[in-house]
Amino acid sequence: MSSQPTVKPPHYLDELNEVQRQAVTTTDGPVLVIAGPGSGKTRVLTYRIAHLIEQGSAPWEILALTFTNKAAREMKDRIAKVVGPRASNIWAGTFHSLFARILRVEANHIGYPSNFTIYDTDDTKSLLGQIIRELSLDPKVYQANAIKNRISSAKSNLITPKSYALNEELLAQDKQAKMPLVSQIYTKYVERCKRAGAMDFDDLLFRLYELLQNHPEVVKKYRQKFRYVLVDEFQDTNTLQYAIVKRLVQYEGSPRNICVVGDDAQSIYAFRGATIQNILDFENDFSQYGIQTFKLEQNYRSTETIVATANAVIGHNSRQIQKKIWSDKGHGEKIRVIREMDDNLEGRRVADTILEQKNRFHLQNQDIAILYRTNAQSRIFEEYLRRFNIAYRVYGGLSFYQRKEVKDLIAYLRLVVNPNDEEAFRRVINFPKRGIGDTSVGKVISLAGQQSMSLFDALRHVALPTRARHAADGFIDVIEKAQRKSATASAYELAEAIARRSGLLDFYRNDNSIEGMGRLENFQALLDGIKSFVEEDSVSDTENLPDKSLATYLQNIALLTDFDTEGDESKDVVTLMSVHAAKGLEFKSVFVVGLEEKLFPSWMSMDSAEGMDEERRLFYVAITRAELFLTLSYANTRYRYGKMTMNEPSRFLAEVPAEAVESTSYSRRSNDHEFDPLAQQRARVTGVVPPARLRGTAKFAEPRVDMENFQPSPSEEIVAGVRVLHQKFGEGKVTKVDGGAGNQIATIHFSDLAQPEKRIMLKFAKLQVL
DNA sequence: CTTTTGAGGGTTTTT
DNA sequence: CCCTCAAAAG
């Protein structure tokens, strides 16, 4: 909203190809965009929104739903580049965060406090475990995790506890699984969440759906508000999410300005209820309203070799929307396949290859990613990257907000904001230890159950032995004082006071172990985080004032994942993450590791055709992250639960076209000079890996050229016949140059090297003509 | 009520 | 292999 005269608007439309431009400018009516990997999907989405605003729409009329906070942030940033600070008023965010925001405003309609708690996965599991115990069921038969999935999937399919109890099919399934009482657990679970003023992740969707369903005046409000609705990664929406979106745009007299963007081939979240059926349904649901479909088929990310491989792989799936993904980036490097004897060697070989690529192609760490099927696989790669002195960051696993020490303080804060929060209560009632043990807590729980009151209220009234009573009063006092203080104090002051008065701060201060120090650091970091939340001038809504309350803070962080904790951002590090987590990202060089039957594809998915198809889509996602170099690896044996297991190579490897694979890949006795077969042997026999420094690094460590006088020449000057200087390899003679413009590869003979022939991509290499 | 010790069990993927 | 959770001792 700058009052300065608008500079000539950037010709953002010029940055688009024909189909992209149509997808951007067809603003009215239903639009379906099928977007292959690397086809400029995000660009279309962001420019479309920018275009809407340039055309006169108000930012707050636009609802853009994504799956990750990162995607939302990126979208907003990119829109801001076109339209300026107005972008901050767009309703762009994850389904969960935006819906939470609406629910906060409308909570009273559905009998929830507006400062409701959001239960994370741990809370959910803990509550389910509690209920299972209360019902005297065997926790080995009724596993909290399994029940959680069952309930989650029910909610995702719009099944309430009541309809669950009447659903013969579900009941039969439960019976078959020897868990006939899931239905009762579900009912109880929902009651308990309600009583605690808490919603789990699925509730954020389901409760909103019910709200829109049952309150005509509310749904009307949001229908009028959101004139344009966009959904990213539409193939990953579940039935419930689509039902909500439809409720918002599908009604009498609606302009039906809805745009969904997705790729059926990249649907990888069926396990949490996502269904490609939504794409097909979308076409049906809106066909009579002039739906327009655009297919983005040109891949701007990857070499032709990689695209061809991806196409060949996905071709093994049966059901898919017809499209032809293509690239004009030249063939580039072939795909390398690495086979090793065991997971340890796989780790080392990958680290080794990373080092090689960095030197040969002048890649930075941040150009490189290692992608695996399960997070547990990261460990070995971390180990070798550390040994090779390669900086890295592991994504996934537990996020900052899931650490014990962080959750402890958060639980106190949650209790201040919402004294009915049962899980928070149970977490901190006796932590730090204050002498309220299991028996006392048991009394509180049973009183709360009888009287249908909150645990916190029950604690006030329950009869306890003097000692425990005293402790309980102290605890109540801490919480109540903070509650009173919350009227005047900032979230930070409150948190700081709680940290001291609860005894948590002292507890962590007094822990002088190594881990203890780390915990204290995290604890402090949390406080700092709250402080910056309070101080930073976050975007103000046009409708609402910036909300700095503790309740808002808590609801925000409940929806953050590991990706949202910044910190080492902008550092030059190799990325390690699961394939799932890598969706939407791209790297110059990608290693897809652990390509073995029962691992990738996962054993869990192997008994059904749909499961296999999803695994294959996952593999498709993995390989299409690569721009230039793709390396696939597997090991013959691998440790699992400390036991060695034999593995067949993944069937997906056989689906990679042979002509796309580097011919030496399959041979262990490759003439790869970086490779030392003897070291390999030694490792195999002794189980000891020779120190990394002896290999790889030493070979490349000292530059053969003095950097001072080195001046890279433009790639045009690199032609067959000239003598050149390379930073690492020294002096050499170019024997030939091939590959299309922009992807030229020079073959150079460096006589100083053990293996003198090098193929170097001119795009990256720094070569000086002599 | 707290601490220690041992057995058993779990690994797909995430908001 | 590692972590969580339950029983038994302090």
Side-chain angles (χ1 to χ4, degrees):
Chain A
M1 257 146 277
S2 77
S3 51
Q4 292 178 355
T6 341
V7 209
K8 192 168 182 240
H11 285 290
Y12 51 91
L13 292 182
D14 294 342
E15 293 171 33
L16 302 170
N17 69 28
E18 184 52 31
V19 195
Q20 290 174 334
R21 191 175 317 130
Q22 283 178 26
V24 165
T25 54
T26 309
T27 52
D28 288 0
V31 169
L32 169 62
V33 180
I34 304 288
S39 63
K41 181 199 67 166
T42 311
R43 174 172 290 205
V44 163
L45 219 41
T46 56
Y47 285 8
R48 187 182 163 90
I49 295 172
H51 190 65
L52 285 169
I53 294 176
E54 289 290 324
Q55 301 274 301
S57 294
W60 52 86
E61 296 176 330
I62 298 167
L63 175 68
L65 297 161
T66 64
F67 274 81
T68 62
N69 295 298
K70 197 169 115 266
R73 213 180 309 127
E74 191 186 333
M75 199 192 294
K76 277 190 163 183
D77 287 350
R78 285 172 69 167
I79 298 169
K81 292 220 169 82
V82 183
V83 305
R86 283 178 290 174
S88 59
N89 291 321
I90 297 164
W91 276 63
T94 63
F95 279 88
H96 296 268
S97 70
L98 292 183
F99 292 177
R101 187 166 157 191
I102 295 177
L103 284 167
R104 217 176 299 148
V105 178
E106 313 292 345
N108 57 316
H109 293 285
I110 52 170
Y112 264 88
S114 75
N115 56 2
F116 62 86
T117 300
I118 297 173
Y119 274 177
D120 68 12
T121 311
D122 286 341
D123 295 320
T124 296
K125 276 197 270 196
S126 150
L127 176 53
L128 284 170
Q130 180 70 22
I131 292 171
I132 288 162
R133 244 168 286 136
E134 285 168 18
L135 292 173
S136 317
L137 298 172
D138 182 354
K140 277 164 202 127
V141 179
Y142 286 86
Q143 285 175 20
N145 219 344
I147 312 268
K148 186 202 76 184
N149 291 337
R150 204 83 186 123
I151 291 177
S152 172
S153 117
K155 287 180 180 170
S156 303
N157 287 294
L158 311 176
I159 296 167
T160 60
K162 264 191 196 138
S163 40
Y164 197 111
L166 299 171
N167 188 314
E168 297 297 339
E169 196 186 333
L170 291 172
L171 296 178
Q173 282 168 9
D174 289 340
K175 213 169 210 170
Q176 182 136 35
K178 305 261 186 284
M179 301 191 288
L181 296 182
V182 171
S183 174
Q184 277 90 323
I185 298 174
Y186 183 19
T187 308
K188 262 205 143 58
Y189 172 74
V190 171
E191 275 171 19
R192 289 283 274 276
C193 285
K194 184 93 193 277
R195 198 200 297 168
M199 298 199 203
D200 65 19
F201 290 140
D202 299 305
D203 287 330
L204 293 176
L205 311 180
F206 201 20
R207 294 288 184 189
L208 182 78
Y209 175 78
E210 291 179 325
L211 173 73
L212 299 179
Q213 177 96 315
N214 302 328
H215 298 269
E217 72 289 356
V218 176
V219 72
K220 194 173 165 203
K221 173 169 152 194
Y222 289 99
R223 279 172 175 170
Q224 281 171 352
K225 175 175 169 53
F226 298 127
R227 292 209 19 243
Y228 291 93
V229 176
L230 299 93
V231 184
D232 189 16
E233 308 281 13
F234 189 62
Q235 75 283 350
D236 289 329
T237 51
N238 61 33
T239 307
L240 174 55
Q241 286 164 323
Y242 181 43
I244 294 171
V245 170
K246 257 205 303 202
R247 197 136 268 285
L248 285 172
V249 300
Q250 187 73 296
Y251 58 94
E252 193 65 33
S254 164
R256 295 185 174 80
N257 296 330
I258 175 166
C259 172
V260 302
V261 182
D263 178 7
D264 56 306
Q266 295 184 66
S267 165
I268 54 173
Y269 284 104
F271 71 90
R272 70 171 196 213
T275 164
I276 330 182
Q277 189 61 38
N278 281 349
I279 298 187
L280 309 174
D281 286 348
F282 182 80
E283 289 184 298
N284 282 329
D285 292 336
F286 291 92
S287 61
Q288 41 177 325
Y289 304 102
I291 182 172
Q292 302 221 50
T293 303
F294 302 103
K295 287 185 187 173
L296 309 181
E297 297 178 307
Q298 180 173 0
N299 178 313
Y300 293 98
R301 176 185 297 153
S302 314
T303 62
E304 288 168 38
T305 300
I306 291 166
V307 170
T309 300
N311 285 341
V313 166
I314 203 68
H316 286 82
N317 273 8
S318 45
R319 226 167 48 119
Q320 42 186 318
I321 293 171
Q322 280 308 310
K323 55 185 166 311
K324 210 187 172 91
I325 309 300
W326 58 280
S327 157
D328 68 354
K329 305 207 83 156
H331 293 290
E333 291 280 301
K334 290 204 168 183
I335 294 165
R336 189 188 281 200
V337 178
I338 292 176
R339 174 175 70 105
E340 281 295 350
M341 280 306 289
D342 61 41
D343 45 355
N344 237 312
L345 293 170
E346 181 194 32
R348 190 177 70 175
R349 187 82 189 285
V350 166
D352 207 34
T353 310
I354 286 175
L355 214 52
E356 183 202 326
Q357 285 189 347
K358 283 182 62 177
N359 285 315
R360 204 161 136 193
F361 304 109
H362 298 280
L363 295 185
Q364 295 188 280
N365 290 331
Q366 60 193 5
D367 297 327
I368 300 168
I370 301 175
L371 307 182
Y372 34 75
R373 179 65 240 264
T374 66
N375 283 312
Q377 286 165 258
S378 71
R379 271 186 52 200
I380 294 171
F381 297 101
E382 292 182 60
E383 201 178 309
Y384 281 100
L385 290 175
R386 222 175 298 132
R387 286 197 202 188
F388 280 49
N389 263 324
I390 302 171
Y392 64 88
R393 171 168 177 193
V394 185
Y395 287 86
L398 65 155
S399 82
F400 177 74
Y401 296 102
Q402 288 174 305
R403 292 169 191 281
K404 286 177 231 78
E405 58 276 18
V406 173
K407 289 197 82 167
D408 288 336
L409 179 53
I410 291 194
Y412 274 98
L413 301 178
R414 274 166 54 172
L415 213 48
V416 172
V417 167
N418 171 13
N420 296 326
D421 186 335
E422 179 175 339
E423 292 308 308
F425 180 92
R426 280 222 304 273
R427 188 179 187 95
V428 297
I429 174 64
N430 197 30
F431 186 84
K433 303 263 181 294
R434 51 172 68 82
I436 305 176
D438 285 347
T439 27
S440 299
V441 175
K443 285 180 197 161
V444 175
I445 288 173
S446 73
L447 178 68
Q450 285 162 27
Q451 306 285 324
S452 280
M453 55 168 59
S454 76
L455 292 180
F456 196 73
D457 279 334
L459 183 65
R460 286 188 235 252
H461 300 117
V462 76
L464 291 174
T466 337
R467 234 190 157 78
R469 182 73 260 167
H470 216 74
D473 288 340
F475 176 72
I476 293 170
D477 189 53
V478 171
I479 302 294
E480 284 182 338
K481 278 232 172 70
Q483 282 169 342
R484 264 175 266 133
K485 203 173 169 188
S486 69
T488 53
S490 76
Y492 173 70
E493 292 165 323
L494 217 52
E496 209 265 335
I498 285 268
R500 269 185 293 109
R501 308 209 37 212
S502 65
L504 277 179
L505 190 57
D506 285 338
F507 179 88
Y508 287 117
R509 271 195 186 139
N510 293 334
D511 183 348
N512 291 318
S513 64
I514 309 246
E515 316 89 70
M517 314 274 272
R519 289 203 198 99
L520 181 61
E521 245 170 63
N522 288 328
F523 196 82
Q524 292 288 1
L526 175 64
L527 285 171
D528 292 344
I530 299 175
K531 194 171 190 177
S532 59
F533 167 80
V534 173
E535 286 168 0
E536 103 197 345
D537 20 68
S538 72
V539 269
S540 59
D541 231 65
T542 0
E543 299 131 49
N544 306 311
L545 291 169
D547 184 356
K548 300 288 187 191
S549 72
L550 192 54
T552 310
Y553 173 77
L554 292 174
Q555 287 178 351
N556 284 345
I557 61 166
L559 298 170
L560 294 182
T561 65
D562 192 31
F563 288 87
D564 307 310
T565 41
E566 328 160 21
D568 303 0
E569 217 71 19
S570 79
K571 286 252 183 74
D572 181 33
V573 294
V574 171
T575 298
L576 277 72
M577 56 169 62
S578 72
V579 180
H580 280 90
K583 195 166 69 160
L585 306 180
E586 58 187 17
F587 303 90
K588 289 200 171 73
S589 173
V590 167
F591 293 79
V592 186
V593 301
L595 281 164
E596 294 138 36
E597 289 287 292
K598 298 183 184 172
L599 181 59
F600 197 174
S602 159
W603 59 276
M604 301 277 317
S605 311
M606 292 184 65
D607 48 2
S608 76
E610 305 83 65
M612 276 308 311
D613 282 3
E614 172 137 324
E615 294 288 320
R616 190 173 283 107
R617 290 193 295 266
L618 196 54
F619 184 53
Y620 177 81
V621 167
I623 58 190
T624 52
R625 298 311 94 199
E627 295 171 27
L628 299 165
F629 309 104
L630 177 61
T631 309
L632 309 174
S633 84
Y634 67 101
N636 292 77
T637 61
R638 174 177 300 278
Y639 279 90
R640 236 184 176 185
Y641 306 126
K643 280 220 171 65
M644 182 138 85
T645 53
M646 302 277 276
N647 304 298
E648 297 287 312
S650 169
R651 67 189 69 189
F652 298 146
L653 285 168
E655 297 171 3
V656 173
E659 66 270 19
V661 178
E662 193 173 275
S663 56
T664 55
S665 287
Y666 287 112
S667 162
R668 280 303 8 254
R669 284 167 290 118
S670 71
N671 48 6
D672 200 349
H673 81 287
E674 283 90 354
F675 198 73
D676 174 2
L678 279 178
Q680 228 28 238
Q681 286 291 356
R682 284 193 295 272
R684 214 169 297 163
V685 173
T686 59
V688 177
V689 180
R693 297 228 157 251
L694 295 180
R695 308 163 19 74
T697 36
K699 202 158 275 164
F700 293 111
E702 323 87 320
R704 294 153 198 268
V705 178
D706 75 312
M707 304 290 280
E708 297 299 325
N709 299 318
F710 187 82
Q711 274 196 330
S713 310
S715 56
E716 296 83 53
E717 289 183 37
I718 316 290
V719 290
V722 303
R723 294 196 65 79
V724 292
L725 206 54
H726 183 278
Q727 281 189 326
K728 299 272 160 47
F729 301 142
E731 200 174 318
K733 186 175 180 184
V734 180
T735 51
K736 73 172 178 200
V737 176
D738 45 22
N743 270 315
Q744 287 177 312
I745 298 170
T747 309
I748 305 175
H749 189 92
F750 295 99
S751 40
D752 288 346
L753 298 185
Q755 208 240 354
E757 280 307 290
K758 286 280 173 195
R759 285 169 58 76
I760 291 178
M761 293 197 84
L762 295 184
K763 192 186 246 179
F764 302 112
K766 298 200 174 62
L767 294 163
Q768 180 179 5
V769 174
L770 292 175

mmCIF file of all heavy atoms in Angstrom, chain A residues 10 15 20 204 223 307 320 322 346 356 367 373 440 466 480 491 524 554 568 593 667 685 717 767:
data_model
loop_
_atom_site.group_PDB
_atom_site.id
_atom_site.type_symbol
_atom_site.label_atom_id
_atom_site.label_comp_id
_atom_site.label_asym_id
_atom_site.label_seq_id
_atom_site.Cartn_x
_atom_site.Cartn_y
_atom_site.Cartn_z
ATOM 1 N N PRO A 10 6.359 -4.900 -13.477
ATOM 2 C CA PRO A 10 7.229 -5.822 -14.195
ATOM 3 C C PRO A 10 6.412 -6.656 -15.170
ATOM 4 O O PRO A 10 5.264 -7.007 -14.886
ATOM 5 C CB PRO A 10 7.811 -6.701 -13.079
ATOM 6 C CG PRO A 10 6.873 -6.545 -11.936
ATOM 7 C CD PRO A 10 6.273 -5.185 -12.055
ATOM 8 N N GLU A 15 7.578 -13.645 -18.617
ATOM 9 C CA GLU A 15 8.438 -14.707 -18.124
ATOM 10 C C GLU A 15 7.760 -16.074 -18.220
ATOM 11 O O GLU A 15 8.247 -17.040 -17.655
ATOM 12 C CB GLU A 15 8.803 -14.434 -16.661
ATOM 13 C CG GLU A 15 9.676 -13.213 -16.493
ATOM 14 C CD GLU A 15 9.824 -12.843 -15.027
ATOM 15 O OE1 GLU A 15 9.834 -13.761 -14.195
ATOM 16 O OE2 GLU A 15 9.903 -11.639 -14.734
ATOM 17 N N GLN A 20 1.576 -21.567 -19.619
ATOM 18 C CA GLN A 20 1.666 -20.943 -18.295
ATOM 19 C C GLN A 20 0.897 -19.625 -18.284
ATOM 20 O O GLN A 20 0.175 -19.320 -17.336
ATOM 21 C CB GLN A 20 3.137 -20.686 -17.932
ATOM 22 C CG GLN A 20 3.932 -21.943 -17.650
ATOM 23 C CD GLN A 20 5.407 -21.646 -17.438
ATOM 24 O OE1 GLN A 20 5.927 -20.652 -17.951
ATOM 25 N NE2 GLN A 20 6.086 -22.500 -16.696
ATOM 26 N N LEU A 204 -8.731 -29.663 12.995
ATOM 27 C CA LEU A 204 -8.644 -28.326 12.404
ATOM 28 C C LEU A 204 -9.373 -28.308 11.076
ATOM 29 O O LEU A 204 -9.914 -27.278 10.659
ATOM 30 C CB LEU A 204 -7.187 -27.921 12.204
ATOM 31 C CG LEU A 204 -6.392 -27.712 13.493
ATOM 32 C CD1 LEU A 204 -4.935 -27.417 13.188
ATOM 33 C CD2 LEU A 204 -6.991 -26.593 14.328
ATOM 34 N N ARG A 223 -17.774 -17.354 2.130
ATOM 35 C CA ARG A 223 -17.992 -17.429 0.685
ATOM 36 C C ARG A 223 -17.859 -16.056 0.052
ATOM 37 O O ARG A 223 -17.301 -15.891 -1.026
ATOM 38 C CB ARG A 223 -19.382 -18.000 0.399
ATOM 39 C CG ARG A 223 -19.443 -19.500 0.498
ATOM 40 C CD ARG A 223 -20.855 -20.009 0.403
ATOM 41 N NE ARG A 223 -20.871 -21.468 0.396
ATOM 42 C CZ ARG A 223 -21.966 -22.192 0.511
ATOM 43 N NH1 ARG A 223 -23.150 -21.596 0.649
ATOM 44 N NH2 ARG A 223 -21.904 -23.490 0.489
ATOM 45 N N VAL A 307 14.711 -36.624 -17.349
ATOM 46 C CA VAL A 307 13.290 -36.601 -17.687
ATOM 47 C C VAL A 307 12.871 -37.908 -18.355
ATOM 48 O O VAL A 307 11.823 -38.485 -18.024
ATOM 49 C CB VAL A 307 12.967 -35.392 -18.594
ATOM 50 C CG1 VAL A 307 11.563 -35.499 -19.156
ATOM 51 C CG2 VAL A 307 13.123 -34.091 -17.810
ATOM 52 N N GLN A 320 -3.068 -43.096 -14.973
ATOM 53 C CA GLN A 320 -2.534 -41.752 -14.883
ATOM 54 C C GLN A 320 -3.115 -40.828 -15.942
ATOM 55 O O GLN A 320 -3.559 -41.271 -16.984
ATOM 56 C CB GLN A 320 -1.013 -41.751 -14.971
ATOM 57 C CG GLN A 320 -0.467 -42.691 -16.027
ATOM 58 C CD GLN A 320 1.036 -42.744 -15.951
ATOM 59 O OE1 GLN A 320 1.671 -41.734 -15.787
ATOM 60 N NE2 GLN A 320 1.587 -43.934 -16.107
ATOM 61 N N GLN A 322 -2.986 -38.488 -18.920
ATOM 62 C CA GLN A 322 -2.073 -38.443 -20.058
ATOM 63 C C GLN A 322 -1.310 -37.133 -20.111
ATOM 64 O O GLN A 322 -1.905 -36.054 -20.061
ATOM 65 C CB GLN A 322 -2.862 -38.622 -21.358
ATOM 66 C CG GLN A 322 -3.207 -40.066 -21.655
ATOM 67 C CD GLN A 322 -1.982 -40.958 -21.599
ATOM 68 O OE1 GLN A 322 -0.951 -40.658 -22.207
ATOM 69 N NE2 GLN A 322 -2.078 -42.051 -20.852
ATOM 70 N N GLU A 346 27.867 -48.138 1.442
ATOM 71 C CA GLU A 346 27.020 -47.267 0.638
ATOM 72 C C GLU A 346 27.205 -45.821 1.111
ATOM 73 O O GLU A 346 27.389 -44.904 0.313
ATOM 74 C CB GLU A 346 25.543 -47.659 0.765
ATOM 75 C CG GLU A 346 24.618 -46.781 -0.070
ATOM 76 C CD GLU A 346 23.143 -46.926 0.296
ATOM 77 O OE1 GLU A 346 22.839 -47.172 1.489
ATOM 78 O OE2 GLU A 346 22.310 -46.797 -0.601
ATOM 79 N N GLU A 356 33.835 -36.076 -5.037
ATOM 80 C CA GLU A 356 34.285 -36.104 -6.428
ATOM 81 C C GLU A 356 33.507 -35.103 -7.281
ATOM 82 O O GLU A 356 34.078 -34.328 -8.037
ATOM 83 C CB GLU A 356 34.108 -37.514 -6.978
ATOM 84 C CG GLU A 356 34.607 -37.663 -8.398
ATOM 85 C CD GLU A 356 33.969 -38.855 -9.092
ATOM 86 O OE1 GLU A 356 33.702 -39.868 -8.418
ATOM 87 O OE2 GLU A 356 33.715 -38.739 -10.298
ATOM 88 N N ASP A 367 24.158 -27.600 -3.506
ATOM 89 C CA ASP A 367 23.640 -28.114 -4.775
ATOM 90 C C ASP A 367 23.295 -29.586 -4.678
ATOM 91 O O ASP A 367 22.818 -30.176 -5.643
ATOM 92 C CB ASP A 367 24.696 -27.946 -5.877
ATOM 93 C CG ASP A 367 25.026 -26.492 -6.130
ATOM 94 O OD1 ASP A 367 24.122 -25.665 -5.992
ATOM 95 O OD2 ASP A 367 26.197 -26.192 -6.459
ATOM 96 N N ARG A 373 14.236 -43.232 1.752
ATOM 97 C CA ARG A 373 12.830 -43.591 1.964
ATOM 98 C C ARG A 373 12.423 -43.406 3.426
ATOM 99 O O ARG A 373 11.329 -42.970 3.730
ATOM 100 C CB ARG A 373 12.639 -45.056 1.541
ATOM 101 C CG ARG A 373 11.251 -45.636 1.703
ATOM 102 C CD ARG A 373 10.259 -44.931 0.794
ATOM 103 N NE ARG A 373 9.206 -44.318 1.566
ATOM 104 C CZ ARG A 373 8.036 -44.842 1.808
ATOM 105 N NH1 ARG A 373 7.704 -46.001 1.306
ATOM 106 N NH2 ARG A 373 7.155 -44.207 2.540
ATOM 107 N N SER A 440 -1.742 -39.761 43.349
ATOM 108 C CA SER A 440 -2.465 -38.497 43.424
ATOM 109 C C SER A 440 -3.053 -38.116 42.073
ATOM 110 O O SER A 440 -4.212 -37.723 41.965
ATOM 111 C CB SER A 440 -1.530 -37.384 43.899
ATOM 112 O OG SER A 440 -1.049 -37.684 45.184
ATOM 113 N N THR A 466 -1.799 -34.390 52.997
ATOM 114 C CA THR A 466 -1.332 -33.014 53.215
ATOM 115 C C THR A 466 -0.152 -32.622 52.341
ATOM 116 O O THR A 466 -0.122 -31.550 51.747
ATOM 117 C CB THR A 466 -0.879 -32.829 54.690
ATOM 118 O OG1 THR A 466 -1.533 -33.809 55.475
ATOM 119 C CG2 THR A 466 -1.214 -31.442 55.165
ATOM 120 N N GLU A 480 -2.206 -20.003 38.187
ATOM 121 C CA GLU A 480 -3.199 -18.935 38.342
ATOM 122 C C GLU A 480 -2.565 -17.549 38.333
ATOM 123 O O GLU A 480 -3.111 -16.610 37.749
ATOM 124 C CB GLU A 480 -3.997 -19.147 39.630
ATOM 125 C CG GLU A 480 -5.021 -20.266 39.478
ATOM 126 C CD GLU A 480 -5.856 -20.452 40.738
ATOM 127 O OE1 GLU A 480 -5.375 -20.042 41.819
ATOM 128 O OE2 GLU A 480 -6.962 -21.006 40.628
ATOM 129 N N ALA A 491 3.489 -11.986 26.150
ATOM 130 C CA ALA A 491 3.713 -13.427 26.108
ATOM 131 C C ALA A 491 5.109 -13.759 26.616
ATOM 132 O O ALA A 491 5.313 -14.746 27.316
ATOM 133 C CB ALA A 491 3.527 -13.947 24.682
ATOM 134 N N GLN A 524 16.485 -21.787 26.501
ATOM 135 C CA GLN A 524 16.708 -20.346 26.308
ATOM 136 C C GLN A 524 16.285 -19.911 24.914
ATOM 137 O O GLN A 524 15.693 -18.848 24.728
ATOM 138 C CB GLN A 524 18.192 -20.014 26.507
ATOM 139 C CG GLN A 524 18.690 -20.189 27.938
ATOM 140 C CD GLN A 524 18.150 -19.113 28.875
ATOM 141 O OE1 GLN A 524 17.387 -18.243 28.464
ATOM 142 N NE2 GLN A 524 18.531 -19.185 30.140
ATOM 143 N N LEU A 554 1.067 -20.051 20.631
ATOM 144 C CA LEU A 554 1.003 -21.500 20.809
ATOM 145 C C LEU A 554 0.353 -22.187 19.615
ATOM 146 O O LEU A 554 0.787 -23.238 19.169
ATOM 147 C CB LEU A 554 0.234 -21.840 22.094
ATOM 148 C CG LEU A 554 0.940 -21.440 23.386
ATOM 149 C CD1 LEU A 554 0.048 -21.680 24.587
ATOM 150 C CD2 LEU A 554 2.255 -22.203 23.535
ATOM 151 N N ASP A 568 20.109 -22.370 10.256
ATOM 152 C CA ASP A 568 21.226 -22.596 9.354
ATOM 153 C C ASP A 568 20.857 -22.293 7.906
ATOM 154 O O ASP A 568 21.535 -22.717 6.983
ATOM 155 C CB ASP A 568 21.713 -24.036 9.464
ATOM 156 C CG ASP A 568 22.101 -24.357 10.879
ATOM 157 O OD1 ASP A 568 21.979 -23.457 11.727
ATOM 158 O OD2 ASP A 568 22.521 -25.485 11.133
ATOM 159 N N VAL A 593 19.107 -43.037 -2.310
ATOM 160 C CA VAL A 593 19.848 -44.143 -1.713
ATOM 161 C C VAL A 593 18.927 -45.223 -1.150
ATOM 162 O O VAL A 593 17.717 -45.023 -1.022
ATOM 163 C CB VAL A 593 20.770 -43.613 -0.592
ATOM 164 C CG1 VAL A 593 21.751 -42.594 -1.140
ATOM 165 C CG2 VAL A 593 19.935 -42.984 0.522
ATOM 166 N N SER A 667 29.677 -52.122 -12.730
ATOM 167 C CA SER A 667 30.871 -52.897 -12.464
ATOM 168 C C SER A 667 31.573 -52.447 -11.202
ATOM 169 O O SER A 667 31.830 -51.273 -10.997
ATOM 170 C CB SER A 667 31.819 -52.785 -13.652
ATOM 171 O OG SER A 667 33.106 -53.174 -13.269
ATOM 172 N N VAL A 685 36.595 -56.911 5.553
ATOM 173 C CA VAL A 685 37.108 -57.930 6.449
ATOM 174 C C VAL A 685 37.062 -57.470 7.903
ATOM 175 O O VAL A 685 36.563 -58.159 8.771
ATOM 176 C CB VAL A 685 38.561 -58.287 6.073
ATOM 177 C CG1 VAL A 685 39.149 -59.230 7.112
ATOM 178 C CG2 VAL A 685 38.578 -58.940 4.702
ATOM 179 N N GLU A 717 35.942 -20.098 -25.232
ATOM 180 C CA GLU A 717 37.353 -20.273 -25.582
ATOM 181 C C GLU A 717 37.846 -21.692 -25.384
ATOM 182 O O GLU A 717 38.939 -22.049 -25.793
ATOM 183 C CB GLU A 717 38.216 -19.324 -24.744
ATOM 184 C CG GLU A 717 38.041 -17.876 -25.152
ATOM 185 C CD GLU A 717 38.963 -16.962 -24.362
ATOM 186 O OE1 GLU A 717 40.099 -17.362 -24.092
ATOM 187 O OE2 GLU A 717 38.517 -15.865 -24.008
ATOM 188 N N LEU A 767 38.151 -22.959 -15.938
ATOM 189 C CA LEU A 767 39.321 -23.334 -16.729
ATOM 190 C C LEU A 767 39.950 -22.088 -17.308
ATOM 191 O O LEU A 767 39.253 -21.175 -17.758
ATOM 192 C CB LEU A 767 38.905 -24.264 -17.880
ATOM 193 C CG LEU A 767 38.362 -25.635 -17.488
ATOM 194 C CD1 LEU A 767 37.633 -26.263 -18.650
ATOM 195 C CD2 LEU A 767 39.492 -26.532 -17.009
#
